[in-house]
Amino acid sequence: MALINCPFCGNAVSDKAEICPNCGETLINKEEQKSEVEFCADCGTPIPEGALTCPKCGCPVETESKESEEVQPQKVEITAVNMPTVKKSAKKYVAIVVSIVVLIAIGLVVAFVIKGANEKKAKEEYSKNLKAASLLMLTGAAQAEEAGNLTKAVWYNTIYEKRDSKTDKYTRSNGYWFNDDFNDSLNALFSDSDFQSKLSSIKSNQESVASLMKLLQNPPDEFDEAYQAIKEYYNAYLALIDLAINPTGSYQTFSSNFNDADSEVSRCYKAMDVYIN
């Protein structure tokens, strides 16, 4: 049996005693003392729980961290991280790309349709103008032919003193005999109001044809041959118009040139038939 100091009164007591005979307090067992009771380093007196000094000698109590104390793990709060949704983003990107491709495709189709419609309309308009110019030249050529034939008749009848109800008022200015100079007869013809009206109609026709020919410039590829044909027709037409409006030279020269121009216009018009019908 060994003696120990009572943790409550500090008096010596048996280590087997359950109650201190001095103060009457219940004593803890030896194992619990070793594990739970602290003793003063100087005098060996048990130190009450929570005391900062020895109750017997007053020596300061050295506190040591108990190895048995469990270290509470630090609570770590994990914040959710918004990871990019790759699949969703990829799908969105693909959807955008597909939408763009579809829009581009639709735009190309619409543009192609519009272009095709515009080209078709332009070709129809060109064909219409081609036919109009050709027929208008035919009308003007017919008027020029009529005027030129009358000029030839007046010229011829004056020289050869031939009577004709259509030319007498020009070849016989005084109403009785033929003019000595064919120029007098031609001047009478070109001064006549009816003949002047015919010449004005021919000039007006020429202006209308010129306007249409401007529209026929830069033809579509499939109208290249037609454009070359109508240009040749136009040149023959202009030559005939000029002879009808401004007769020059001798009668034989004028008559030959006029007949040639008239035949050339007829030939060119027939050549245009394949393009306008």
Side-chain angles (χ1 to χ4, degrees):
M1 181 181 66
L3 295 177
I4 61 171
N5 292 324
C6 177
F8 300 101
C9 65
N11 293 315
V13 66
S14 174
D15 61 354
K16 300 297 183 178
E18 295 182 0
I19 299 174
C20 178
N22 298 306
C23 64
E25 292 291 339
T26 300
L27 301 177
I28 58 175
N29 59 44
K30 187 175 181 180
E31 294 299 323
E32 289 178 338
Q33 280 186 340
K34 291 182 179 179
S35 61
E36 297 182 6
V37 178
E38 295 183 8
F39 298 90
C40 177
D42 289 340
C43 66
T45 302
I47 305 299
E49 185 178 357
L52 300 178
T53 60
C54 177
K56 185 175 182 180
C57 65
C59 182
V61 177
E62 293 182 3
T63 56
E64 296 182 359
S65 59
K66 296 182 180 179
E67 295 181 357
S68 62
E69 289 181 357
E70 296 182 358
V71 179
Q72 296 295 327
Q74 185 177 359
K75 188 176 181 180
V76 180
E77 182 178 355
I78 300 176
T79 304
V81 179
N82 292 327
M83 299 297 291
T85 307
V86 177
K87 292 185 178 179
K88 185 176 181 180
S89 299
K91 289 182 179 179
K92 183 177 181 181
Y93 176 77
V94 171
I96 292 174
V97 171
V98 171
S99 297
I100 293 174
V101 171
V102 170
L103 289 176
I104 292 174
I106 293 174
L108 291 175
V109 171
V110 172
F112 181 79
V113 172
I114 293 175
K115 181 181 178 182
N118 290 338
E119 288 180 351
K120 181 180 179 181
K121 183 178 180 181
K123 290 177 182 178
E124 291 175 351
E125 188 69 18
Y126 192 90
S127 179
K128 179 181 177 181
N129 290 333
L130 190 72
K131 185 174 183 178
S134 181
L135 294 177
L136 197 59
M137 279 192 279
L138 182 64
T139 299
Q143 294 174 337
E145 182 181 41
E146 182 181 357
N149 286 335
L150 181 58
T151 298
K152 286 193 302 179
V154 170
W155 205 331
Y156 180 87
N157 290 343
T158 300
I159 295 174
Y160 297 103
E161 296 185 351
K162 295 287 185 179
R163 298 197 57 179
D164 188 325
S165 58
K166 293 182 179 180
T167 63
D168 282 350
K169 64 177 180 178
Y170 308 119
T171 58
R172 302 167 64 205
S173 300
N174 57 13
Y176 297 99
W177 53 81
F178 288 94
N179 297 325
D180 295 330
D181 190 344
F182 67 87
N183 286 315
D184 292 337
S185 298
L186 292 178
N187 287 333
L189 172 64
F190 278 80
S191 297
D192 182 71
S193 59
D194 290 339
F195 193 71
Q196 282 291 328
S197 178
K198 291 179 180 180
L199 294 181
S200 295
S201 180
I202 293 172
K203 292 176 182 178
S204 177
N205 178 274
Q206 184 180 4
E207 292 174 356
S208 298
V209 171
S211 297
L212 285 173
M213 289 301 295
K214 288 182 179 179
L215 296 176
L216 294 175
Q217 294 178 355
N218 303 317
D221 292 341
E222 61 189 82
F223 287 94
D224 282 339
E225 292 184 4
Y227 181 63
Q228 295 303 321
I230 201 166
K231 279 205 312 182
E232 187 177 2
Y233 181 21
Y234 183 57
N235 290 333
Y237 160 83
L238 290 177
L240 184 65
I241 295 294
D242 185 61
L243 287 169
I245 295 176
N246 301 300
T248 57
S250 65
Y251 170 75
Q252 287 79 8
T253 300
F254 171 77
S255 180
S256 177
N257 291 339
F258 188 84
N259 290 339
D260 290 344
D262 193 20
S263 297
E264 182 65 7
V265 168
S266 179
R267 183 191 71 80
C268 290
Y269 174 73
K270 290 179 180 179
M272 284 299 302
D273 186 65
V274 67
Y275 302 110
I276 62 178
N277 293 322

